[in-house]
Amino acid sequence: MSRSLQGRAALVTGGGRGIGRAIALRLGELGASVAVNYRQDAAAANEVVEHIKAAGGQAVAIQGDVADVAAPEALVKATTEAFGKIDILVNNAGIIRDGLLVRMSDEDWEAVVQTNLRGAFLCTRAALRPMLRQRWGRIVNITSVSGIMGNAGQANYAAAKAGLIGLTKATAREAAGRNVTVNAVAPGFVTTELTVGLPDKVKEAILNQIPVGRFGEPDDVAAAVAYLVSDAAAYVTGHVLAVDGGLAM
């Protein structure tokens, strides 16, 4: 595989499991040094780190909850201390607290918005400063088709992911003059721990809405991220790339 990201340093939030894990591994395969952020599961994050190292790459695991106001600055600082700089930020960390809006608690609303939207804002602000100074950077926000088309039972999640699209476009406009691109990837239904436990009837109903007729895999999303952080995507910014098998078209 091409080492097209050789010499680049990346931070992937929520990088220990699911989509984040696939992204961290792909960036490592392409030669980037990868800081794998995790909130609780140190074993999963360290497994990703060891996998990257075994392939000859550089990686570190960094604990931190992006919903904690102080954590994002610390994550960027730790990445910079480990690798000397930060070139790539992937805002992937996210949670769900699903429920119908009329029954949704204030706590479930706040938790999702703070992690999925405010966390991305705080990480972006922390990483953008050094990127602007070095006049090179790639930021990719992992949003969702829920943020594009809505999804019943996910008012908090859809609102946060739609907000992430707005954050992407505004930041892209601000950073473009310094050779920093900001894009978003909007996965559809991807086979992860969050979806594997869905009842068969629900899975069947979802599959009927997906033109390509299958769920996505984490590697499908990782491939899109790998493109957006590469030199090949230097003229792409403020874009939302749906990786959803045609669901939202």
Side-chain angles (χ1 to χ4, degrees):
M1 182 175 285
S2 165
R3 307 286 284 180
S4 57
L5 296 179
Q6 194 73 44
R8 300 298 187 193
L11 167 61
V12 180
T13 67
R17 295 185 295 177
I19 289 172
R21 178 182 188 276
I23 293 168
L25 290 173
R26 179 62 63 92
L27 299 186
E29 287 172 2
L30 292 173
S33 300
V34 185
V36 181
N37 160 248
Y38 68 96
R39 185 179 58 161
Q40 291 179 313
D41 195 343
N46 283 316
E47 188 271 333
V48 175
V49 167
E50 291 309 313
H51 194 98
I52 294 171
K53 286 182 174 179
Q58 283 189 299
V60 294
I62 306 174
Q63 194 279 331
D65 184 352
V66 299
D68 177 355
V69 174
E73 288 279 359
L75 294 178
V76 170
K77 183 179 179 183
T79 302
T80 303
E81 288 175 350
F83 306 131
K85 58 178 180 170
I86 181 168
D87 300 302
I88 296 164
L89 168 66
V90 182
N91 283 310
N92 168 75
I95 62 171
I96 56 171
R97 296 285 187 274
D98 292 354
L100 294 175
L101 187 140
V102 292
R103 298 175 189 160
M104 186 173 288
S105 67
D106 293 354
E107 291 76 17
D108 284 348
W109 174 272
E110 290 295 334
V112 170
V113 171
Q114 286 184 11
T115 295
N116 297 15
L117 181 56
R118 189 183 71 173
F121 154 67
L122 293 171
C123 289
T124 297
R125 186 174 65 183
L128 193 58
R129 294 184 182 116
M131 288 181 183
L132 292 173
R133 284 197 297 270
Q134 69 194 19
R135 291 180 175 270
W136 200 97
R138 299 284 188 268
I139 298 173
V140 179
N141 296 318
I142 306 302
T143 179
S144 169
V145 292
S146 291
I148 297 172
M149 54 190 290
N151 194 30
Q154 289 194 318
N156 48 5
Y157 186 79
K161 292 299 190 179
L164 201 50
I165 292 172
L167 175 67
T168 298
K169 292 176 180 291
T171 311
R173 288 186 179 276
E174 293 182 14
R178 293 292 185 95
N179 200 29
V180 177
T181 67
V182 188
N183 293 287
V185 173
F189 286 92
V190 175
T191 303
T192 66
E193 292 174 3
L194 294 179
T195 58
V196 74
L198 290 173
D200 288 340
K201 282 189 175 181
V202 174
K203 288 182 181 178
E204 188 176 337
I206 293 168
L207 284 171
N208 287 335
Q209 300 175 57
I210 302 173
V212 302
R214 68 169 178 88
F215 280 7
E217 297 296 332
D219 283 343
D220 294 322
V221 182
V225 173
Y227 164 66
L228 290 171
V229 302
S230 72
D231 287 336
Y235 202 56
V236 179
T237 196
H239 183 70
V240 182
L241 176 55
V243 181
D244 64 352
L247 177 64
M249 69 177 169

PDB file of all heavy atoms in Angstrom, residues 63-102:
ATOM      1  N   GLN A  63      -5.885   8.922  26.411  1.00  0.00           N
ATOM      2  CA  GLN A  63      -7.200   8.946  27.049  1.00  0.00           C
ATOM      3  C   GLN A  63      -7.726  10.369  27.119  1.00  0.00           C
ATOM      4  O   GLN A  63      -6.967  11.320  27.340  1.00  0.00           O
ATOM      5  CB  GLN A  63      -7.107   8.350  28.453  1.00  0.00           C
ATOM      6  CG  GLN A  63      -8.444   8.013  29.104  1.00  0.00           C
ATOM      7  CD  GLN A  63      -9.141   9.208  29.730  1.00  0.00           C
ATOM      8  OE1 GLN A  63      -8.497  10.163  30.182  1.00  0.00           O
ATOM      9  NE2 GLN A  63     -10.472   9.183  29.759  1.00  0.00           N
ATOM     10  N   GLY A  64      -9.029  10.515  26.959  1.00  0.00           N
ATOM     11  CA  GLY A  64      -9.654  11.831  27.098  1.00  0.00           C
ATOM     12  C   GLY A  64     -11.081  11.804  26.600  1.00  0.00           C
ATOM     13  O   GLY A  64     -11.371  11.170  25.585  1.00  0.00           O
ATOM     14  N   ASP A  65     -11.970  12.444  27.328  1.00  0.00           N
ATOM     15  CA  ASP A  65     -13.376  12.553  26.944  1.00  0.00           C
ATOM     16  C   ASP A  65     -13.588  13.914  26.296  1.00  0.00           C
ATOM     17  O   ASP A  65     -13.478  14.949  26.961  1.00  0.00           O
ATOM     18  CB  ASP A  65     -14.252  12.413  28.188  1.00  0.00           C
ATOM     19  CG  ASP A  65     -15.747  12.427  27.875  1.00  0.00           C
ATOM     20  OD1 ASP A  65     -16.114  12.694  26.705  1.00  0.00           O
ATOM     21  OD2 ASP A  65     -16.550  12.173  28.792  1.00  0.00           O
ATOM     22  N   VAL A  66     -13.893  13.923  25.001  1.00  0.00           N
ATOM     23  CA  VAL A  66     -14.004  15.194  24.284  1.00  0.00           C
ATOM     24  C   VAL A  66     -15.135  16.073  24.817  1.00  0.00           C
ATOM     25  O   VAL A  66     -15.178  17.275  24.537  1.00  0.00           O
ATOM     26  CB  VAL A  66     -14.188  14.985  22.760  1.00  0.00           C
ATOM     27  CG1 VAL A  66     -12.983  14.257  22.179  1.00  0.00           C
ATOM     28  CG2 VAL A  66     -15.482  14.255  22.444  1.00  0.00           C
ATOM     29  N   ALA A  67     -16.049  15.484  25.597  1.00  0.00           N
ATOM     30  CA  ALA A  67     -17.115  16.276  26.201  1.00  0.00           C
ATOM     31  C   ALA A  67     -16.610  17.093  27.384  1.00  0.00           C
ATOM     32  O   ALA A  67     -17.271  18.033  27.835  1.00  0.00           O
ATOM     33  CB  ALA A  67     -18.261  15.368  26.659  1.00  0.00           C
ATOM     34  N   ASP A  68     -15.438  16.747  27.881  1.00  0.00           N
ATOM     35  CA  ASP A  68     -14.794  17.499  28.961  1.00  0.00           C
ATOM     36  C   ASP A  68     -14.104  18.715  28.339  1.00  0.00           C
ATOM     37  O   ASP A  68     -13.255  18.573  27.464  1.00  0.00           O
ATOM     38  CB  ASP A  68     -13.775  16.592  29.663  1.00  0.00           C
ATOM     39  CG  ASP A  68     -12.989  17.305  30.750  1.00  0.00           C
ATOM     40  OD1 ASP A  68     -13.157  18.533  30.915  1.00  0.00           O
ATOM     41  OD2 ASP A  68     -12.195  16.631  31.442  1.00  0.00           O
ATOM     42  N   VAL A  69     -14.450  19.887  28.796  1.00  0.00           N
ATOM     43  CA  VAL A  69     -13.961  21.125  28.169  1.00  0.00           C
ATOM     44  C   VAL A  69     -12.441  21.181  28.083  1.00  0.00           C
ATOM     45  O   VAL A  69     -11.881  21.716  27.115  1.00  0.00           O
ATOM     46  CB  VAL A  69     -14.504  22.362  28.926  1.00  0.00           C
ATOM     47  CG1 VAL A  69     -13.894  23.640  28.391  1.00  0.00           C
ATOM     48  CG2 VAL A  69     -16.028  22.429  28.818  1.00  0.00           C
ATOM     49  N   ALA A  70     -11.756  20.620  29.055  1.00  0.00           N
ATOM     50  CA  ALA A  70     -10.295  20.712  29.073  1.00  0.00           C
ATOM     51  C   ALA A  70      -9.616  19.653  28.213  1.00  0.00           C
ATOM     52  O   ALA A  70      -8.438  19.798  27.866  1.00  0.00           O
ATOM     53  CB  ALA A  70      -9.792  20.600  30.512  1.00  0.00           C
ATOM     54  N   ALA A  71     -10.332  18.594  27.866  1.00  0.00           N
ATOM     55  CA  ALA A  71      -9.701  17.453  27.204  1.00  0.00           C
ATOM     56  C   ALA A  71      -9.166  17.739  25.804  1.00  0.00           C
ATOM     57  O   ALA A  71      -8.048  17.314  25.477  1.00  0.00           O
ATOM     58  CB  ALA A  71     -10.661  16.267  27.172  1.00  0.00           C
ATOM     59  N   PRO A  72      -9.923  18.418  24.921  1.00  0.00           N
ATOM     60  CA  PRO A  72      -9.425  18.593  23.555  1.00  0.00           C
ATOM     61  C   PRO A  72      -8.070  19.301  23.462  1.00  0.00           C
ATOM     62  O   PRO A  72      -7.201  18.869  22.679  1.00  0.00           O
ATOM     63  CB  PRO A  72     -10.539  19.417  22.895  1.00  0.00           C
ATOM     64  CG  PRO A  72     -11.773  18.939  23.594  1.00  0.00           C
ATOM     65  CD  PRO A  72     -11.343  18.812  25.022  1.00  0.00           C
ATOM     66  N   GLU A  73      -7.863  20.354  24.236  1.00  0.00           N
ATOM     67  CA  GLU A  73      -6.552  21.012  24.236  1.00  0.00           C
ATOM     68  C   GLU A  73      -5.464  20.034  24.662  1.00  0.00           C
ATOM     69  O   GLU A  73      -4.379  20.008  24.083  1.00  0.00           O
ATOM     70  CB  GLU A  73      -6.565  22.222  25.182  1.00  0.00           C
ATOM     71  CG  GLU A  73      -7.366  23.415  24.685  1.00  0.00           C
ATOM     72  CD  GLU A  73      -6.611  24.277  23.689  1.00  0.00           C
ATOM     73  OE1 GLU A  73      -5.434  23.969  23.388  1.00  0.00           O
ATOM     74  OE2 GLU A  73      -7.206  25.261  23.195  1.00  0.00           O
ATOM     75  N   ALA A  74      -5.774  19.221  25.669  1.00  0.00           N
ATOM     76  CA  ALA A  74      -4.802  18.243  26.158  1.00  0.00           C
ATOM     77  C   ALA A  74      -4.512  17.182  25.101  1.00  0.00           C
ATOM     78  O   ALA A  74      -3.367  16.720  24.970  1.00  0.00           O
ATOM     79  CB  ALA A  74      -5.308  17.598  27.441  1.00  0.00           C
ATOM     80  N   LEU A  75      -5.535  16.766  24.346  1.00  0.00           N
ATOM     81  CA  LEU A  75      -5.340  15.764  23.304  1.00  0.00           C
ATOM     82  C   LEU A  75      -4.415  16.281  22.206  1.00  0.00           C
ATOM     83  O   LEU A  75      -3.517  15.575  21.740  1.00  0.00           O
ATOM     84  CB  LEU A  75      -6.688  15.359  22.697  1.00  0.00           C
ATOM     85  CG  LEU A  75      -7.671  14.623  23.608  1.00  0.00           C
ATOM     86  CD1 LEU A  75      -8.967  14.347  22.852  1.00  0.00           C
ATOM     87  CD2 LEU A  75      -7.066  13.325  24.113  1.00  0.00           C
ATOM     88  N   VAL A  76      -4.645  17.520  21.781  1.00  0.00           N
ATOM     89  CA  VAL A  76      -3.803  18.111  20.737  1.00  0.00           C
ATOM     90  C   VAL A  76      -2.380  18.295  21.252  1.00  0.00           C
ATOM     91  O   VAL A  76      -1.400  18.019  20.540  1.00  0.00           O
ATOM     92  CB  VAL A  76      -4.404  19.447  20.254  1.00  0.00           C
ATOM     93  CG1 VAL A  76      -3.428  20.187  19.344  1.00  0.00           C
ATOM     94  CG2 VAL A  76      -5.712  19.190  19.518  1.00  0.00           C
ATOM     95  N   LYS A  77      -2.253  18.727  22.504  1.00  0.00           N
ATOM     96  CA  LYS A  77      -0.925  18.896  23.098  1.00  0.00           C
ATOM     97  C   LYS A  77      -0.185  17.570  23.171  1.00  0.00           C
ATOM     98  O   LYS A  77       1.000  17.484  22.834  1.00  0.00           O
ATOM     99  CB  LYS A  77      -1.054  19.498  24.498  1.00  0.00           C
ATOM    100  CG  LYS A  77       0.283  19.770  25.170  1.00  0.00           C
ATOM    101  CD  LYS A  77       0.100  20.388  26.552  1.00  0.00           C
ATOM    102  CE  LYS A  77       1.450  20.636  27.220  1.00  0.00           C
ATOM    103  NZ  LYS A  77       1.291  21.166  28.590  1.00  0.00           N
ATOM    104  N   ALA A  78      -0.884  16.511  23.581  1.00  0.00           N
ATOM    105  CA  ALA A  78      -0.256  15.192  23.684  1.00  0.00           C
ATOM    106  C   ALA A  78       0.168  14.673  22.314  1.00  0.00           C
ATOM    107  O   ALA A  78       1.230  14.045  22.181  1.00  0.00           O
ATOM    108  CB  ALA A  78      -1.215  14.210  24.350  1.00  0.00           C
ATOM    109  N   THR A  79      -0.658  14.910  21.302  1.00  0.00           N
ATOM    110  CA  THR A  79      -0.313  14.499  19.942  1.00  0.00           C
ATOM    111  C   THR A  79       0.938  15.223  19.471  1.00  0.00           C
ATOM    112  O   THR A  79       1.860  14.623  18.905  1.00  0.00           O
ATOM    113  CB  THR A  79      -1.481  14.795  18.978  1.00  0.00           C
ATOM    114  OG1 THR A  79      -2.656  14.122  19.424  1.00  0.00           O
ATOM    115  CG2 THR A  79      -1.154  14.351  17.559  1.00  0.00           C
ATOM    116  N   THR A  80       0.972  16.525  19.717  1.00  0.00           N
ATOM    117  CA  THR A  80       2.120  17.342  19.312  1.00  0.00           C
ATOM    118  C   THR A  80       3.384  16.922  20.047  1.00  0.00           C
ATOM    119  O   THR A  80       4.481  16.881  19.465  1.00  0.00           O
ATOM    120  CB  THR A  80       1.824  18.828  19.556  1.00  0.00           C
ATOM    121  OG1 THR A  80       0.631  19.187  18.852  1.00  0.00           O
ATOM    122  CG2 THR A  80       2.958  19.707  19.059  1.00  0.00           C
ATOM    123  N   GLU A  81       3.244  16.598  21.324  1.00  0.00           N
ATOM    124  CA  GLU A  81       4.407  16.149  22.093  1.00  0.00           C
ATOM    125  C   GLU A  81       4.920  14.807  21.594  1.00  0.00           C
ATOM    126  O   GLU A  81       6.126  14.559  21.578  1.00  0.00           O
ATOM    127  CB  GLU A  81       4.046  16.069  23.584  1.00  0.00           C
ATOM    128  CG  GLU A  81       3.893  17.426  24.243  1.00  0.00           C
ATOM    129  CD  GLU A  81       3.426  17.338  25.679  1.00  0.00           C
ATOM    130  OE1 GLU A  81       3.037  16.228  26.119  1.00  0.00           O
ATOM    131  OE2 GLU A  81       3.446  18.373  26.371  1.00  0.00           O
ATOM    132  N   ALA A  82       4.005  13.941  21.172  1.00  0.00           N
ATOM    133  CA  ALA A  82       4.402  12.609  20.704  1.00  0.00           C
ATOM    134  C   ALA A  82       5.072  12.649  19.339  1.00  0.00           C
ATOM    135  O   ALA A  82       6.048  11.924  19.091  1.00  0.00           O
ATOM    136  CB  ALA A  82       3.184  11.690  20.661  1.00  0.00           C
ATOM    137  N   PHE A  83       4.545  13.490  18.440  1.00  0.00           N
ATOM    138  CA  PHE A  83       4.980  13.450  17.041  1.00  0.00           C
ATOM    139  C   PHE A  83       5.601  14.755  16.533  1.00  0.00           C
ATOM    140  O   PHE A  83       6.013  14.831  15.374  1.00  0.00           O
ATOM    141  CB  PHE A  83       3.795  13.083  16.147  1.00  0.00           C
ATOM    142  CG  PHE A  83       3.100  11.815  16.547  1.00  0.00           C
ATOM    143  CD1 PHE A  83       1.721  11.784  16.678  1.00  0.00           C
ATOM    144  CD2 PHE A  83       3.815  10.650  16.800  1.00  0.00           C
ATOM    145  CE1 PHE A  83       1.060  10.613  17.044  1.00  0.00           C
ATOM    146  CE2 PHE A  83       3.175   9.471  17.167  1.00  0.00           C
ATOM    147  CZ  PHE A  83       1.792   9.453  17.296  1.00  0.00           C
ATOM    148  N   GLY A  84       5.633  15.782  17.370  1.00  0.00           N
ATOM    149  CA  GLY A  84       6.247  17.044  16.977  1.00  0.00           C
ATOM    150  C   GLY A  84       5.321  18.018  16.293  1.00  0.00           C
ATOM    151  O   GLY A  84       5.673  19.189  16.104  1.00  0.00           O
ATOM    152  N   LYS A  85       4.112  17.566  15.923  1.00  0.00           N
ATOM    153  CA  LYS A  85       3.161  18.428  15.225  1.00  0.00           C
ATOM    154  C   LYS A  85       1.825  17.705  15.124  1.00  0.00           C
ATOM    155  O   LYS A  85       1.705  16.536  15.532  1.00  0.00           O
ATOM    156  CB  LYS A  85       3.662  18.760  13.820  1.00  0.00           C
ATOM    157  CG  LYS A  85       3.906  17.524  12.957  1.00  0.00           C
ATOM    158  CD  LYS A  85       4.350  17.891  11.550  1.00  0.00           C
ATOM    159  CE  LYS A  85       4.580  16.647  10.692  1.00  0.00           C
ATOM    160  NZ  LYS A  85       4.781  16.996   9.274  1.00  0.00           N
ATOM    161  N   ILE A  86       0.821  18.385  14.588  1.00  0.00           N
ATOM    162  CA  ILE A  86      -0.443  17.746  14.235  1.00  0.00           C
ATOM    163  C   ILE A  86      -0.854  18.242  12.860  1.00  0.00           C
ATOM    164  O   ILE A  86      -0.948  19.452  12.619  1.00  0.00           O
ATOM    165  CB  ILE A  86      -1.553  18.012  15.282  1.00  0.00           C
ATOM    166  CG1 ILE A  86      -2.855  17.307  14.872  1.00  0.00           C
ATOM    167  CG2 ILE A  86      -1.773  19.508  15.533  1.00  0.00           C
ATOM    168  CD1 ILE A  86      -3.908  17.281  15.967  1.00  0.00           C
ATOM    169  N   ASP A  87      -1.028  17.320  11.933  1.00  0.00           N
ATOM    170  CA  ASP A  87      -1.408  17.656  10.561  1.00  0.00           C
ATOM    171  C   ASP A  87      -2.857  17.310  10.251  1.00  0.00           C
ATOM    172  O   ASP A  87      -3.482  17.952   9.412  1.00  0.00           O
ATOM    173  CB  ASP A  87      -0.532  16.881   9.566  1.00  0.00           C
ATOM    174  CG  ASP A  87       0.942  17.181   9.718  1.00  0.00           C
ATOM    175  OD1 ASP A  87       1.315  18.352   9.600  1.00  0.00           O
ATOM    176  OD2 ASP A  87       1.715  16.230   9.960  1.00  0.00           O
ATOM    177  N   ILE A  88      -3.347  16.255  10.894  1.00  0.00           N
ATOM    178  CA  ILE A  88      -4.655  15.697  10.559  1.00  0.00           C
ATOM    179  C   ILE A  88      -5.469  15.519  11.838  1.00  0.00           C
ATOM    180  O   ILE A  88      -4.973  14.990  12.826  1.00  0.00           O
ATOM    181  CB  ILE A  88      -4.493  14.324   9.865  1.00  0.00           C
ATOM    182  CG1 ILE A  88      -3.760  14.469   8.528  1.00  0.00           C
ATOM    183  CG2 ILE A  88      -5.851  13.650   9.667  1.00  0.00           C
ATOM    184  CD1 ILE A  88      -3.227  13.146   7.973  1.00  0.00           C
ATOM    185  N   LEU A  89      -6.708  15.966  11.803  1.00  0.00           N
ATOM    186  CA  LEU A  89      -7.650  15.727  12.897  1.00  0.00           C
ATOM    187  C   LEU A  89      -8.890  15.052  12.321  1.00  0.00           C
ATOM    188  O   LEU A  89      -9.486  15.561  11.363  1.00  0.00           O
ATOM    189  CB  LEU A  89      -8.052  17.038  13.578  1.00  0.00           C
ATOM    190  CG  LEU A  89      -9.239  16.958  14.552  1.00  0.00           C
ATOM    191  CD1 LEU A  89      -8.901  16.105  15.774  1.00  0.00           C
ATOM    192  CD2 LEU A  89      -9.686  18.360  14.980  1.00  0.00           C
ATOM    193  N   VAL A  90      -9.279  13.934  12.912  1.00  0.00           N
ATOM    194  CA  VAL A  90     -10.532  13.275  12.545  1.00  0.00           C
ATOM    195  C   VAL A  90     -11.441  13.286  13.770  1.00  0.00           C
ATOM    196  O   VAL A  90     -11.159  12.619  14.766  1.00  0.00           O
ATOM    197  CB  VAL A  90     -10.314  11.832  12.059  1.00  0.00           C
ATOM    198  CG1 VAL A  90     -11.658  11.215  11.644  1.00  0.00           C
ATOM    199  CG2 VAL A  90      -9.335  11.799  10.889  1.00  0.00           C
ATOM    200  N   ASN A  91     -12.491  14.092  13.699  1.00  0.00           N
ATOM    201  CA  ASN A  91     -13.460  14.183  14.791  1.00  0.00           C
ATOM    202  C   ASN A  91     -14.489  13.066  14.627  1.00  0.00           C
ATOM    203  O   ASN A  91     -15.493  13.214  13.933  1.00  0.00           O
ATOM    204  CB  ASN A  91     -14.154  15.552  14.775  1.00  0.00           C
ATOM    205  CG  ASN A  91     -13.280  16.651  15.336  1.00  0.00           C
ATOM    206  OD1 ASN A  91     -12.719  16.522  16.422  1.00  0.00           O
ATOM    207  ND2 ASN A  91     -13.151  17.740  14.586  1.00  0.00           N
ATOM    208  N   ASN A  92     -14.199  11.946  15.279  1.00  0.00           N
ATOM    209  CA  ASN A  92     -15.035  10.765  15.141  1.00  0.00           C
ATOM    210  C   ASN A  92     -15.815  10.422  16.411  1.00  0.00           C
ATOM    211  O   ASN A  92     -16.850   9.764  16.349  1.00  0.00           O
ATOM    212  CB  ASN A  92     -14.162   9.567  14.732  1.00  0.00           C
ATOM    213  CG  ASN A  92     -14.887   8.253  14.836  1.00  0.00           C
ATOM    214  OD1 ASN A  92     -15.729   7.924  13.998  1.00  0.00           O
ATOM    215  ND2 ASN A  92     -14.600   7.491  15.888  1.00  0.00           N
ATOM    216  N   ALA A  93     -15.332  10.866  17.568  1.00  0.00           N
ATOM    217  CA  ALA A  93     -15.959  10.487  18.839  1.00  0.00           C
ATOM    218  C   ALA A  93     -17.438  10.863  18.848  1.00  0.00           C
ATOM    219  O   ALA A  93     -17.810  11.976  18.483  1.00  0.00           O
ATOM    220  CB  ALA A  93     -15.239  11.167  20.007  1.00  0.00           C
ATOM    221  N   GLY A  94     -18.262   9.917  19.256  1.00  0.00           N
ATOM    222  CA  GLY A  94     -19.697  10.192  19.284  1.00  0.00           C
ATOM    223  C   GLY A  94     -20.434   9.186  20.141  1.00  0.00           C
ATOM    224  O   GLY A  94     -19.956   8.070  20.366  1.00  0.00           O
ATOM    225  N   ILE A  95     -21.603   9.591  20.627  1.00  0.00           N
ATOM    226  CA  ILE A  95     -22.448   8.701  21.420  1.00  0.00           C
ATOM    227  C   ILE A  95     -23.880   8.808  20.915  1.00  0.00           C
ATOM    228  O   ILE A  95     -24.223   9.734  20.167  1.00  0.00           O
ATOM    229  CB  ILE A  95     -22.409   9.049  22.921  1.00  0.00           C
ATOM    230  CG1 ILE A  95     -22.942  10.478  23.159  1.00  0.00           C
ATOM    231  CG2 ILE A  95     -21.002   8.904  23.481  1.00  0.00           C
ATOM    232  CD1 ILE A  95     -23.147  10.831  24.620  1.00  0.00           C
ATOM    233  N   ILE A  96     -24.702   7.847  21.303  1.00  0.00           N
ATOM    234  CA  ILE A  96     -26.132   7.929  21.017  1.00  0.00           C
ATOM    235  C   ILE A  96     -26.916   7.781  22.318  1.00  0.00           C
ATOM    236  O   ILE A  96     -26.494   7.071  23.231  1.00  0.00           O
ATOM    237  CB  ILE A  96     -26.600   6.864  19.999  1.00  0.00           C
ATOM    238  CG1 ILE A  96     -26.249   5.454  20.483  1.00  0.00           C
ATOM    239  CG2 ILE A  96     -26.016   7.123  18.623  1.00  0.00           C
ATOM    240  CD1 ILE A  96     -26.860   4.353  19.655  1.00  0.00           C
ATOM    241  N   ARG A  97     -28.028   8.481  22.387  1.00  0.00           N
ATOM    242  CA  ARG A  97     -28.991   8.358  23.480  1.00  0.00           C
ATOM    243  C   ARG A  97     -30.367   8.475  22.835  1.00  0.00           C
ATOM    244  O   ARG A  97     -31.031   9.497  22.948  1.00  0.00           O
ATOM    245  CB  ARG A  97     -28.796   9.457  24.528  1.00  0.00           C
ATOM    246  CG  ARG A  97     -27.486   9.448  25.270  1.00  0.00           C
ATOM    247  CD  ARG A  97     -27.419   8.335  26.316  1.00  0.00           C
ATOM    248  NE  ARG A  97     -26.215   8.465  27.132  1.00  0.00           N
ATOM    249  CZ  ARG A  97     -25.027   7.969  26.814  1.00  0.00           C
ATOM    250  NH1 ARG A  97     -24.882   7.297  25.665  1.00  0.00           N
ATOM    251  NH2 ARG A  97     -23.987   8.119  27.606  1.00  0.00           N
ATOM    252  N   ASP A  98     -30.758   7.432  22.114  1.00  0.00           N
ATOM    253  CA  ASP A  98     -31.954   7.497  21.286  1.00  0.00           C
ATOM    254  C   ASP A  98     -33.244   7.494  22.115  1.00  0.00           C
ATOM    255  O   ASP A  98     -33.307   6.893  23.192  1.00  0.00           O
ATOM    256  CB  ASP A  98     -31.989   6.314  20.318  1.00  0.00           C
ATOM    257  CG  ASP A  98     -30.908   6.390  19.256  1.00  0.00           C
ATOM    258  OD1 ASP A  98     -30.203   7.410  19.196  1.00  0.00           O
ATOM    259  OD2 ASP A  98     -30.769   5.421  18.472  1.00  0.00           O
ATOM    260  N   GLY A  99     -34.245   8.146  21.559  1.00  0.00           N
ATOM    261  CA  GLY A  99     -35.567   8.170  22.175  1.00  0.00           C
ATOM    262  C   GLY A  99     -36.439   9.198  21.480  1.00  0.00           C
ATOM    263  O   GLY A  99     -35.935  10.155  20.883  1.00  0.00           O
ATOM    264  N   LEU A 100     -37.739   8.994  21.531  1.00  0.00           N
ATOM    265  CA  LEU A 100     -38.652   9.961  20.924  1.00  0.00           C
ATOM    266  C   LEU A 100     -38.516  11.307  21.610  1.00  0.00           C
ATOM    267  O   LEU A 100     -38.358  11.391  22.836  1.00  0.00           O
ATOM    268  CB  LEU A 100     -40.095   9.461  21.015  1.00  0.00           C
ATOM    269  CG  LEU A 100     -40.410   8.199  20.206  1.00  0.00           C
ATOM    270  CD1 LEU A 100     -41.843   7.749  20.481  1.00  0.00           C
ATOM    271  CD2 LEU A 100     -40.182   8.429  18.728  1.00  0.00           C
ATOM    272  N   LEU A 101     -38.619  12.379  20.835  1.00  0.00           N
ATOM    273  CA  LEU A 101     -38.363  13.716  21.363  1.00  0.00           C
ATOM    274  C   LEU A 101     -39.257  14.054  22.548  1.00  0.00           C
ATOM    275  O   LEU A 101     -38.802  14.647  23.526  1.00  0.00           O
ATOM    276  CB  LEU A 101     -38.535  14.756  20.248  1.00  0.00           C
ATOM    277  CG  LEU A 101     -38.127  16.186  20.633  1.00  0.00           C
ATOM    278  CD1 LEU A 101     -37.398  16.856  19.505  1.00  0.00           C
ATOM    279  CD2 LEU A 101     -39.334  17.024  21.028  1.00  0.00           C
ATOM    280  N   VAL A 102     -40.540  13.673  22.493  1.00  0.00           N
ATOM    281  CA  VAL A 102     -41.451  14.049  23.584  1.00  0.00           C
ATOM    282  C   VAL A 102     -41.081  13.374  24.898  1.00  0.00           C
ATOM    283  O   VAL A 102     -41.518  13.823  25.970  1.00  0.00           O
ATOM    284  CB  VAL A 102     -42.925  13.721  23.225  1.00  0.00           C
ATOM    285  CG1 VAL A 102     -43.405  14.620  22.096  1.00  0.00           C
ATOM    286  CG2 VAL A 102     -43.095  12.242  22.881  1.00  0.00           C
TER     287      VAL A 102
END
